[in-house]
């Protein structure tokens, strides 16, 4: 079985004009003790390196179970199935695990391989919180001033698909005909499902297929801003507070 670090080291540096549909991707997903980024921590994580030429057959996967040294919230435990006792017994020490995850992401970034995560700000900010908590170098420090490349299928889908209804990973994969490899709310299954979305998205929507790595971040920021304006109009009509966060 190929080691993820070895696979990333062997991967070529991708050109800035590489279209999204032809790009290698590093999928990322986490399960956490809760959803408060300043308080909660990662308990499970997966990285999946995908080469579009070989699809699933060429995937290189690394996974972690982490002892967060803080309690699971009952709500999060109900969703992801992790308990304090299980994590204490089977979890890796967070300093070691979080350091390896960040190092692999930085290595991929040095090859211009985007990090892909569904609702990417959540997972990236959870990782940032753990790096800060354990006094490890931030992703920004590891990138030596380079801008981070990220793919967020949620942002892309909101921009190109006009369907109604929920935009959870489960509903979105069903819409695009992606068959899950395992149960949702498992970090590995969710990572693979999110990566699998890129092929149908770039095929069905030419404007997505034409996004290059060079234009990737600006395209998504613009797409998010357009969605936020529309969503805030909908919220205002119902007397609700607007969304103020930016996308990465």
């Amino acid at each position: 079985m190929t080691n993820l670090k070895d696979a990333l080291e062997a991967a070529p540096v991708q050109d800035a004009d590489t279209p999204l549909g032809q790009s290698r991707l590093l999928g990322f997903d986490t399960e956490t003790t809760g959803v408060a980024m300043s308080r909660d921590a990662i308990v499970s994580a997966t990285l999946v390196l995908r080469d579009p030429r070989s699809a699933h057959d060429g995937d290189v996967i690394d996974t972690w179970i982490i002892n967060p040294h803080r309690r699971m919230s009952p709500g999060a435990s109900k969703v992801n199935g992790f308990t304090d006792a299980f994590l204490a017994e089977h979890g890796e020490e967070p300093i070691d695990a979080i350091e390896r995850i960040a190092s692999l992401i930085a290595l991929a970034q040095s090859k211009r391989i985007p990090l892909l995560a569904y609702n990417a700000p959540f997972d990236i900010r959870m990782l940032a919180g753990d790096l800060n908590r354990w006094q490890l170098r931030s992703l920004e420090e590891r990138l030596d001033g380079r801008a981070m490349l990220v793919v967020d299928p949620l942002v892309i889908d909101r921009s190109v698909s006009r369907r109604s209804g929920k935009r959870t990973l489960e509903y979105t994969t069903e819409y695009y005909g992606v068959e899950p490899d395992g149960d949702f709310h498992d970090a590995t299954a969710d990572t693979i499902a999110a990566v699998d979305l890129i092929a149908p998205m770039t095929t069905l929507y030419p404007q997505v297929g034409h996004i290059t790595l060079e234009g990737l971040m600006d395209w998504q920021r613009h797409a998010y801003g357009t969605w936020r304006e529309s969503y805030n109009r909908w919220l205002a009509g119902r007397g609700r507070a607007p969304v103020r966060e930016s996308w990465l």
Side-chain angles (χ1 to χ4, degrees), residues 28-33 41-46 63-68 80 82 87 101 123 185-188:
F28 179 48
D29 188 65
T30 64
E31 299 296 333
T32 61
T33 60
I42 296 171
V43 299
S44 174
T46 297
T63 63
W64 293 264
I65 301 294
I66 304 169
N67 180 357
N80 59 40
F82 288 109
L87 294 170
I101 293 167
D123 296 289
H185 300 299
D186 168 87
T188 301

Side-chain angles (χ1 to χ4, degrees), residues 28-37 39-46 63-72 80 82 87 91-95 97-99 101-102 105 122-131 133-134 139 187:
F28 179 48
D29 188 65
T30 64
E31 299 296 333
T32 61
T33 60
V35 297
M37 297 175 197
R39 182 182 68 241
D40 287 303
I42 296 171
V43 299
S44 174
T46 297
T63 63
W64 293 264
I65 301 294
I66 304 169
N67 180 357
H69 293 285
R70 61 195 57 232
R71 290 189 176 279
M72 290 289 305
N80 59 40
F82 288 109
L87 294 170
E92 185 176 348
E93 284 303 303
I95 289 179
I98 297 300
E99 172 61 32
I101 293 167
I105 291 172
F122 176 80
D123 296 289
I124 291 172
R125 288 166 184 163
M126 292 301 299
L127 177 59
D130 274 355
L131 288 167
R133 181 175 298 114
W134 300 108
L139 287 175

Side-chain angles (χ1 to χ4, degrees), residues 1 6 15 23 25 32 75 85 91 111 122 127 135 187 202 209 220 243:
M1 182 179 292
D6 291 343
D15 294 332
S23 174
L25 300 166
T32 61
K111 301 298 184 83
F122 176 80
L127 177 59
Q135 299 182 336
T202 54
Q220 290 175 106
V243 173

Side-chain angles (χ1 to χ4, degrees), residues 71-149:
R71 290 189 176 279
M72 290 289 305
S73 73
S77 184
K78 185 176 181 179
V79 169
N80 59 40
F82 288 109
T83 64
D84 296 331
F86 178 88
L87 294 170
E89 181 177 356
H90 300 284
E92 185 176 348
E93 284 303 303
I95 289 179
D96 299 329
I98 297 300
E99 172 61 32
R100 285 210 314 280
I101 293 167
S103 296
L104 289 166
I105 291 172
L107 176 56
Q109 292 287 310
S110 75
K111 301 298 184 83
R112 207 178 275 122
I113 298 174
L115 186 70
L116 181 147
Y118 198 85
N119 190 20
F122 176 80
D123 296 289
I124 291 172
R125 288 166 184 163
M126 292 301 299
L127 177 59
D130 274 355
L131 288 167
N132 180 65
R133 181 175 298 114
W134 300 108
Q135 299 182 336
L136 300 169
R137 286 193 303 151
S138 68
L139 287 175
E140 290 79 4
E141 291 171 319
R142 295 166 193 266
L143 297 182
D144 297 325
R146 299 188 308 275
M148 192 169 183
L149 278 176

